[in-house]
Amino acid sequence: MNPDKLKEMLTDLRDGRLSVEQSIERLKHLPFEDIGIATIDHHRSLRQGAAEVIFGEGKSVSQLINIVTRMQRSDSNILVTRLSSEKAEDLLALFPAGEYDADGRIFTLLQAPIVPRGRGRIAVVAAGTSDLPVAREATVTARMLGHQVEEIVDVGVAGLHRLLARTESLQRAAVVIVVAGMEGALPSVVGGLVSAPVIAVPTSIGYGAAFNGIAALLGMLNSCASGLTVVNIDNGFGAAFAAHRINLQENS
């Protein structure tokens, strides 16, 4: 249920195209539906402007199918993050209209047109190709939320000229998401080049002393670039949702 569908239903009720009983039937699973293995938040879109997102990691195929099936009935667009290719094959077999991005490990099922939102473009910058899975998760999520996204890949600080060649494009973005592993220096550099909000995403990419992303996380938290915001390790989805809210606020 989203604001447009609720308004449509109430208008139909007022104009006699829908009975009270039919309205009650549509509303009886609101604001949430307990299906045993999960409690689906059907009111999430009304409160936050976006439907609930399914975290695929740790869930069995049968659990995912059950949840997606119930959410499909609400006609909302469906997003499943952290989904293995094996589980994705099972979902695609049952939901052939869905799409799976293997790089981002993310499944999408469009049931309604994506409404363009935000005042400007979101740039998603990946330090290296190894950071692409996290960056792509951010890209797909932001696009599903209605934002125009430009993806810029393999512009890490080891070859600074690659980043500087994209400075003009970065400076045109309304929000910049920067994804980096190793020492996590790239967000600080980008933060010094642009006036837009910068969201830093540390990844678990790196050798032993990178400590599965902790070194990058600490480096980003200690950045000298003013106003840098940092999300959790490998959390491309969280960065995209933060960028979504920033871009909407900028448009208000």
Side-chain angles (χ1 to χ4, degrees):
M1 180 65 71
N2 59 51
D4 289 337
K5 288 187 178 296
L6 181 59
K7 182 178 180 180
E8 179 184 349
M9 189 194 72
L10 293 175
T11 301
D12 287 344
L13 177 62
R14 180 197 65 192
D15 296 342
R17 291 188 294 271
L18 198 66
S19 69
V20 173
E21 290 74 19
Q22 288 171 321
S23 300
I24 292 173
E25 182 65 26
R26 291 189 185 184
L27 289 171
K28 71 179 182 180
H29 292 308
L30 298 179
F32 61 85
E33 179 183 6
D34 186 351
I35 63 172
I37 58 162
T39 304
I40 300 172
D41 185 358
H42 293 298
H43 260 179
R44 185 78 57 93
S45 183
L46 287 172
R47 297 195 316 273
Q48 297 189 345
E52 186 174 14
V53 173
I54 304 166
F55 184 71
E57 193 170 286
K59 292 182 176 66
S60 67
V61 172
S62 62
Q63 288 172 335
L64 288 167
I65 289 172
N66 197 354
I67 294 169
V68 172
T69 299
R70 297 302 182 95
M71 290 184 68
Q72 188 183 33
R73 296 173 186 172
S74 67
D75 295 327
S76 61
N77 290 331
I78 296 171
L79 183 67
V80 184
T81 65
R82 294 300 176 87
L83 189 69
S84 68
S85 57
E86 293 79 13
K87 292 178 183 178
E89 288 179 5
D90 291 319
L91 283 185
L92 288 170
L94 285 176
F95 307 100
E99 294 185 4
Y100 179 65
D101 188 298
D103 287 326
R105 299 165 296 176
I106 193 164
F107 172 88
T108 57
L109 178 61
L110 287 179
Q111 302 195 104
I114 295 176
V115 179
R117 307 161 103 177
R119 73 171 180 91
R121 177 174 47 81
I122 296 173
V124 177
V125 184
T129 306
S130 296
D131 302 305
L132 186 58
V134 178
R136 185 61 53 79
E137 180 180 81
T139 295
V140 175
T141 299
R143 286 175 177 162
M144 283 287 286
L145 292 170
H147 300 274
Q148 180 186 358
V149 181
E150 179 182 6
E151 200 172 67
I152 301 172
V153 180
D154 200 21
V155 289
V157 295
L160 194 58
H161 54 288
R162 301 174 299 179
L163 177 68
L164 297 178
R166 309 299 293 270
T167 300
E168 185 178 346
S169 181
L170 290 171
Q171 291 176 340
R172 289 197 302 264
V175 188
V176 183
I177 297 171
V178 185
V179 183
M182 301 291 185
E183 82 284 16
L186 185 61
S188 294
V189 178
V190 173
L193 294 175
V194 303
S195 60
V198 176
I199 302 170
V201 189
T203 72
S204 51
I205 297 301
Y207 293 103
F211 296 112
N212 294 317
I214 293 176
L217 172 64
L218 294 177
M220 293 174 185
L221 288 172
N222 286 285
S223 171
C224 63
S226 302
L228 193 73
T229 299
V230 186
V231 299
N232 207 346
I233 298 168
D234 291 336
N235 192 7
F237 166 78
F241 211 98
H244 157 71
R245 289 182 168 175
I246 291 169
N247 208 21
L248 289 184
Q249 290 295 323
E250 293 286 349
N251 197 37
S252 61

